[in-house]
Amino acid sequence: MSEDNSNLIHVYLDDGDEPIVSYRPPVRFELDTTQLEDGPHTLKVVATDASGHKGVRTIPFEVRNGPGIDVEGLQDNDMLEGKVPILLNAYGGAKEPFWEPSRAETPAPVPTWAWVLLLVVVAWSAFYIAQQWNAPDEFASSPTYSLFTGEGEYAQPAGEAPSRSRANIGATLYRTSCSSCHQGNGEGVAGAFPPLAGDPVVTDEDPTRHIEIILFGMQGKAIEGVEYSAAMPPFAKQLSDEEVAAIINHERTSWGNDAPTVTAEEVQKVRAEGD
Ligand code: HEC
């Protein structure tokens, strides 16, 4: 018996009287915690040498095979009053075959800062859209952003400041169709292209000749004693009545010119007679 006990290692669990294992060192064994209750335990290892001296080592440990528990709304030693809403969640556990992250997520309300951030973003986008709603002038007069809204829209009393967008249409069309020859300032190029500023046709009370020249072109005529070898190209095919009226009104109210303006109907009439 004493022979048996020498050089043996006994392992005790939770102050049990009987060792759960007894082996000669070194000992490798498996502790099956699934047989133990969740909670604190102790493992005591007792080794005896040949002369009968005992060495003892006690190791406290904790078993947790059940699911983790999450408690929302109550903390250790909280002071409670009246009714208290408490949210419980349990997740994980040694027996669960798959880790399911959604099970570990305790539902919580959307934090205030997230609401504030959302509100700021929404408010800013609303502000931005509202700000962009009125297209800037150079946009408003571009062909993509609504050009002509109706017939005869371009009649403007001479001397009165024409409405901005219509004036812009005339100015834009002049810039694209005419200014390469007559120049942006209406001064033309001496000897090559006649000036339109102060030009007798452009400032004539009767716009018929003015309309004819834009629609059907002109060639080989002396203007105020100057012969022009280049031709004034016809624009009847490129420009609508409204566009011709807009350009003519731009010429008649720009560069110091102050002549009566025309309507799309007047242009249309001249166009019909010329055909
Ligand atoms: C290719 C160059 C060129 C372009 C582009 C051009 N013109 Fe002319 N324009 C002339 C020339 C050259 C004359 C003079 C022709 C002549 O004397 O026979 C002229 C004459 C005129 C006249 C007559 C002036 C007068 O007193 O008889 C008017 C008005 C006029 N142009 C307006 C315009 C307008 C508006 C546009 C754009 C829609 C335009 N022109 C585009 C070259 C051009």
Side-chain angles (χ1 to χ4, degrees):
M1 193 55 187
S2 72
E3 174 66 22
D4 273 346
N5 252 354
S6 71
N7 256 335
L8 268 185
I9 289 183
H10 303 288
V11 180
Y12 300 84
L13 190 67
D14 294 338
D15 305 322
D17 290 332
E18 290 294 316
I20 54 168
V21 286
S22 300
Y23 285 123
R24 290 194 180 279
V27 177
R28 187 191 292 275
F29 79 102
E30 199 172 61
L31 181 67
D32 185 1
T33 66
T34 61
Q35 303 303 315
L36 304 175
E37 211 173 287
D38 277 13
H41 295 273
T42 46
L43 193 74
K44 192 165 88 175
V45 183
V46 179
T48 314
D49 69 6
S51 52
H53 287 271
K54 275 185 180 172
V56 179
R57 180 124 184 244
T58 315
I59 305 149
F61 65 96
E62 188 155 339
V63 171
R64 209 214 79 190
N65 283 318
I69 293 174
D70 191 55
V71 181
E72 202 100 335
L74 183 64
Q75 294 189 329
D76 288 0
N77 305 319
D78 266 358
M79 190 89 80
L80 299 185
E81 256 176 25
K83 292 182 181 168
V84 179
I86 292 176
L87 179 64
L88 300 179
N89 193 15
Y91 54 89
K95 297 272 171 59
E96 247 176 57
F98 302 110
W99 169 243
E100 177 57 72
S102 67
R103 293 271 320 273
E105 258 169 32
T106 305
V110 179
T112 316
W113 65 262
W115 283 118
V116 172
L117 190 69
L118 180 76
L119 271 172
V120 167
V121 170
V122 168
W124 183 81
S125 39
F127 167 77
Y128 185 79
I129 290 167
Q131 212 194 18
Q132 297 298 307
W133 194 254
N134 283 323
D137 274 350
E138 63 274 23
F139 232 161
S141 63
S142 75
T144 31
Y145 193 92
S146 112
L147 247 187
F148 304 111
T149 46
E151 285 178 39
E153 286 282 282
Y154 300 96
Q156 282 136 16
E160 205 171 283
S163 99
R164 240 194 136 147
S165 64
R166 277 179 216 158
N168 271 345
I169 293 160
T172 304
L173 287 169
Y174 178 84
R175 205 163 45 236
T176 52
S177 305
C178 324
S179 69
S180 57
C181 294
H182 295 285
Q183 306 303 301
N185 59 6
E187 294 297 336
V189 175
F193 307 113
L196 301 176
D199 178 84
V201 168
V202 173
T203 53
D204 193 347
E205 293 274 317
D206 177 4
T208 311
R209 179 84 192 112
H210 192 177
I211 298 171
E212 279 171 358
I213 290 172
I214 311 301
L215 285 177
F216 309 122
M218 166 185 190
Q219 190 164 13
K221 296 234 169 66
I223 302 165
E224 305 208 81
V226 182
E227 296 259 4
Y228 294 95
S229 55
M232 162 73 197
F235 285 89
K237 292 214 170 69
Q238 288 104 302
L239 300 175
S240 70
D241 296 338
E242 286 85 1
E243 287 169 326
V244 170
I247 294 181
I248 286 179
N249 291 341
H250 175 70
E251 292 174 286
R252 287 177 163 254
T253 56
S254 302
W255 320 302
N257 292 352
D258 187 10
T261 54
V262 303
T263 64
E265 278 87 6
E266 289 175 84
V267 176
Q268 197 265 324
K269 240 189 350 234
V270 175
R271 191 195 286 269
E273 281 163 10
D275 275 348

